[in-house]
Amino acid sequence: MKGDEESMLNRIRAKLQVYLRYIAAPLVYLRIDPNLITLTGLLFGFLSVLAYAHYPLMILFFILMILSDAIDGQVARAIGKVTKFGAFLDSTIDRVEDALSYYLLYLLRIVGVEELLIAMIGAFLVSYTRSRAESLGVEMMGIGVAERAERLILTFLALITAPLSLTVARIIFAGLLVLTYLTVLQRALHVYKMLGDA
């Protein structure tokens, strides 16, 4: 069953990658610096927070943030500008965007301060467990049910559901929390399996 779920998830990701390549194509043609795309995504993240009182504009900026985050790596690979600094910058900006995303949930009153803190700790733990494990030589690609893309999608679903029903938005957020900490546990168990007492 788990294998079926993972293969289904991979099929969905593969289909999304096709559409993302179309979106990235003009930027590849213009040879836009991928680091600039990463920083532009961060700008969209801040703009979404600043525009939270203007709901359609907030959602637009949030979508643009997600798209920027999704295509910067594609553009880098397509134009041959994959660099260690680019990977560092992308990972660092991702953490800021995670915090901004959860702050939007707070601004829309989907979560309180306590839930905001718990969500942010979980998001940072998901990232940290991967980076720490990979520094120890453990491959972590695809480990965990809620990698960053899945968490961003759930956050987006909570945001677009909030005006219709705060209850439903909070249920989506609860699911996000469960999947986030399940991912941390899955990664910890994977590292233990790979390293044991080594």
Side-chain angles (χ1 to χ4, degrees), residues 23-76:
I23 297 172
L27 302 177
V28 172
Y29 177 77
L30 294 171
R31 299 188 66 81
I32 301 297
D33 190 320
N35 291 339
L36 179 59
I37 299 172
T38 302
L39 292 171
T40 302
L42 177 63
L43 174 62
F44 286 136
F46 278 112
L47 288 175
S48 68
V49 169
L50 293 174
Y52 85 93
H54 305 279
Y55 184 77
L57 198 55
M58 180 205 76
I59 291 297
L60 173 62
F61 285 137
F62 190 82
I63 292 172
L64 290 173
M65 181 194 79
I66 293 176
L67 289 176
S68 299
D69 181 68
I71 65 175
D72 54 1
Q74 284 200 4
V75 173

Side-chain angles (χ1 to χ4, degrees), residues 160-166:
I160 62 173
T161 304
L164 302 174
S165 172
L166 274 178

Side-chain angles (χ1 to χ4, degrees), residues 112-126:
V113 175
E114 295 82 2
E115 293 91 347
L116 172 68
L117 181 60
I118 292 170
M120 288 177 63
I121 290 172
F124 294 155
L125 277 174
V126 170

